[in-house]
């Protein structure tokens, strides 16, 4: 595999996201918080990604989630930014504001600080929304181990990026 700025496992999965979505004619949009654009960056590492990545949003602050993606203040105040409700709203906002066919949203606590007993470091929520799909959008709360120690933040962001890429496979 050619030189990549990202770890091999992320680059390999991103290559699948690009090839499989390109083959099915699907465009994707990302709405990222704790991953800070890593999912979009992984996709753009791959030649031919312009056929797949429609756009990406990095909405790190609550204000950005509200302004750029239309996340309701009530959702953030009631459930918090690290909640399935917020991830759903991020995915819906990204899909509504793009020409993509599928959106993935990620929000979490990458650490080393910022965790609470209810949402410890390593808690990450994901949502996937497919345009014109019926039923509820898909949402998932995951807990990634390895948040302690000097490499904890990078490890949580790595695992969250892999999970989000998997959600973008057709």
């Amino acid at each position: 595999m050619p030189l990549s700025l990202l770890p091999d496992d992320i680059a390999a999965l991103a290559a699948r996201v690009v090839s499989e979505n390109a083959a099915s004619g699907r465009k994707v949009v990302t709405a990222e918080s704790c991953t800070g654009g890593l999912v979009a960056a992984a996709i753009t590492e791959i030649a031919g990604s312009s056929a797949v990545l429609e756009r990406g949003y990095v909405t790190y602050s609550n204000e950005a989630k509200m302004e750029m993606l239309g996340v309701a203040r009530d959702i953030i105040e009631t459930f918090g930014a690290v909640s399935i409700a917020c991830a759903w709203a991020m995915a819906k906002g990204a899909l509504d504001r793009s020409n993509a066919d599928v959106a993935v949203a990620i929000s979490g606590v990458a650490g080393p600080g910022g965790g609470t007993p209810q949402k410890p470091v390593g808690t990450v929520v994901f949502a996937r929304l497919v345009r014109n799909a019926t039923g509820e959008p898909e949402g998932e709360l995951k807990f990634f181990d390895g948040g302690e120690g000097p490499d904890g933040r990078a490890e949580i962001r790595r695992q969250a990026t892999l999970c989000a890429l998997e959600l973008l496979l057709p």
Side-chain angles (χ1 to χ4, degrees), residues 71-144:
V71 176
R73 182 177 299 279
D74 291 359
I75 289 175
I76 292 172
E77 289 176 355
T78 304
F79 302 104
V82 182
S83 65
I84 289 176
C86 184
W88 280 347
M90 289 170 66
K92 182 176 185 334
L95 204 59
D96 288 349
R97 289 160 174 76
S98 73
N99 299 309
D101 304 295
V102 61
V104 68
I106 310 104
S107 186
V109 186
T116 66
Q118 296 78 24
K119 294 176 187 174
V121 169
T123 303
V124 184
V125 290
F126 301 88
R128 174 175 57 189
L129 187 59
V130 177
R131 191 175 299 282
N132 301 324
T134 55
E136 287 295 303
E138 299 168 65
E140 188 171 9
L141 186 150
K142 290 195 168 205
F143 178 77
F144 297 118

Side-chain angles (χ1 to χ4, degrees), residues 4-107:
S4 173
L5 293 172
L6 299 168
D8 290 345
D9 54 352
I10 290 176
L13 188 52
R16 282 188 59 203
V17 167
V18 170
S19 65
E20 293 178 27
N21 280 288
S24 62
R26 276 192 354 166
K27 294 249 187 200
V28 305
V29 60
T30 62
E32 302 182 63
S33 187
C34 67
T35 47
L38 281 171
V39 179
I43 293 169
T44 61
E45 282 279 282
I46 309 304
S49 58
S50 59
V52 172
L53 183 66
E54 207 275 336
R55 68 186 72 184
Y57 295 93
V58 177
T59 54
Y60 207 67
S61 70
N62 291 342
E63 291 73 23
K65 290 173 183 69
M66 292 184 285
E67 290 170 20
M68 294 176 71
L69 298 174
V71 176
R73 182 177 299 279
D74 291 359
I75 289 175
I76 292 172
E77 289 176 355
T78 304
F79 302 104
V82 182
S83 65
I84 289 176
C86 184
W88 280 347
M90 289 170 66
K92 182 176 185 334
L95 204 59
D96 288 349
R97 289 160 174 76
S98 73
N99 299 309
D101 304 295
V102 61
V104 68
I106 310 104
S107 186

